[in-house]
Amino acid sequence: RLVIVKVQQKKKPLERAFFYASSPEEYYRRAEELVRRDVISKEGLGKARIEEYVLGQKFNANFQGWVLKDVFDDFDLLGFDDRKQTNLHGILGLPARDQMSLDTPVKNEEVGHYGLTMRESLKPLVYRAAERFRRICEKEYPPGIIGLFALQGAIAYDSEDPEQKRLEFYVFDVSPRIPGCPCVGPTSPEMRRLTLKYLGLLKEYGLEKVETPMDLPMLEIRYAADSNRLEETVT
């Protein structure tokens, strides 16, 4: 199976150098090449994460998890985004012939985000994943995750479907985001729907709309403070 190996860069430990392999032989060959090029270290390689690579469109699904469920909800979907990375996206912008002629290690340093939308018929997959995540967090780390979070995953064909017709949302990482992905506010139709959903409460505080993801936890904290329930919103 194809895997992605996530290793800290030697000279920029906050960033990772990813590489791909479909066999142990390919893994060792590519790892040794990156060590030789001084992109990664052997120590960093020993701490690397190896994950099965999902062949599908990536989505960061952004959510607000509420703690005052009697006033707000369990959670709300804010919208989707994906990353722009250097030098990966520069290489992908080249024709395949020119990509093959390069002798440059691929790096995945995050430099920005862009907004995405998802087919309405696929959103239940994302909602189910978020609900499972919320329940597990409440069970294992009570009171659970509070505020903004993102499920980083991809929509791909379900590996358990022999006909490869059914789609599934595979989660490979979780991000507790403060203040949330900045591109979601101006690009996501979900944000406009949240304005309508919480319009009555927004008007109580002299607000007209939800503009950024950070508006939502601020709204809950303000309501909790005014209702003498602030202790419920912090850990």
Side-chain angles (χ1 to χ4, degrees):
R1 291 185 177 183
L2 180 64
V3 300
I4 180 171
V5 184
K6 301 179 179 180
V7 194
Q8 285 183 319
Q9 293 184 30
K10 182 177 179 179
K11 297 179 180 178
K12 299 183 72 174
L14 292 180
E15 300 295 340
R16 292 182 291 186
F18 297 4
F19 68 93
Y20 307 87
S22 55
S23 67
E25 294 77 17
E26 188 175 15
Y27 167 85
Y28 287 114
R29 177 173 57 82
R30 296 198 170 187
E32 289 170 2
E33 180 183 356
L34 290 174
V35 171
R36 178 175 55 81
R37 289 172 174 259
D38 213 29
V39 176
I40 63 175
S41 66
K42 290 184 178 180
E43 292 76 16
L45 186 63
K47 300 176 183 178
R49 290 179 56 184
I50 302 176
E51 302 172 0
E52 182 176 353
Y53 187 77
V54 181
L55 289 171
Q57 171 60 50
K58 295 182 178 65
F59 287 90
N60 293 331
N62 297 277
F63 295 92
Q64 162 69 17
W66 303 102
V67 65
L68 303 180
K69 298 177 185 178
D70 57 317
V71 178
F72 296 91
D73 211 331
D74 184 4
F75 62 89
D76 278 306
L77 174 65
L78 278 60
F80 303 95
D81 73 279
D82 195 12
R83 299 172 175 178
K84 284 294 186 181
Q85 296 164 313
T86 292
N87 59 2
L88 173 65
H89 285 101
I91 293 173
L92 292 177
L94 295 172
R97 178 184 58 192
D98 296 317
Q99 291 182 31
M100 296 295 291
S101 67
L102 289 177
D103 186 26
T104 303
V106 177
K107 296 183 180 180
N108 297 61
E109 183 167 343
E110 186 175 331
V111 294
H113 292 79
Y114 60 97
L116 289 173
T117 59
M118 181 182 286
R119 273 172 36 196
E120 291 291 330
S121 61
L122 295 177
K123 288 180 181 177
L125 301 176
V126 177
Y127 276 101
R128 285 199 292 269
E131 185 170 11
R132 290 196 299 268
F133 176 69
R134 290 271 290 166
R135 299 293 83 81
I136 289 296
C137 287
E138 290 168 352
K139 178 182 178 181
E140 300 293 337
Y141 304 99
I145 191 164
I146 298 173
L148 300 168
F149 68 94
L151 300 182
Q152 300 174 341
I155 294 285
Y157 290 109
D158 190 339
S159 59
E160 297 182 0
D161 178 14
E163 296 184 357
Q164 290 290 280
K165 293 181 178 180
R166 186 172 62 239
L167 293 171
E168 184 55 85
F169 181 60
Y170 291 94
V171 178
F172 48 75
D173 208 347
V174 176
S175 175
R177 294 189 166 187
I178 301 295
C181 180
C183 71
V184 170
T187 64
S188 172
E190 306 295 339
M191 297 294 285
R192 293 189 286 275
R193 295 170 188 167
L194 290 174
T195 292
L196 296 176
K197 183 175 182 178
Y198 297 113
L199 187 59
L201 194 56
L202 290 168
K203 286 185 175 180
E204 285 187 27
Y205 298 118
L207 303 173
E208 296 182 355
K209 60 182 178 179
V210 178
E211 294 191 80
T212 71
M214 198 62 186
D215 289 347
L216 297 169
M218 291 172 65
L219 181 64
E220 184 172 42
I221 291 170
R222 174 65 186 273
Y223 179 89
D226 290 349
S227 306
N228 294 319
R229 299 179 64 182
L230 197 57
E231 71 280 356
E232 298 178 46
T233 66
V234 295
T235 59

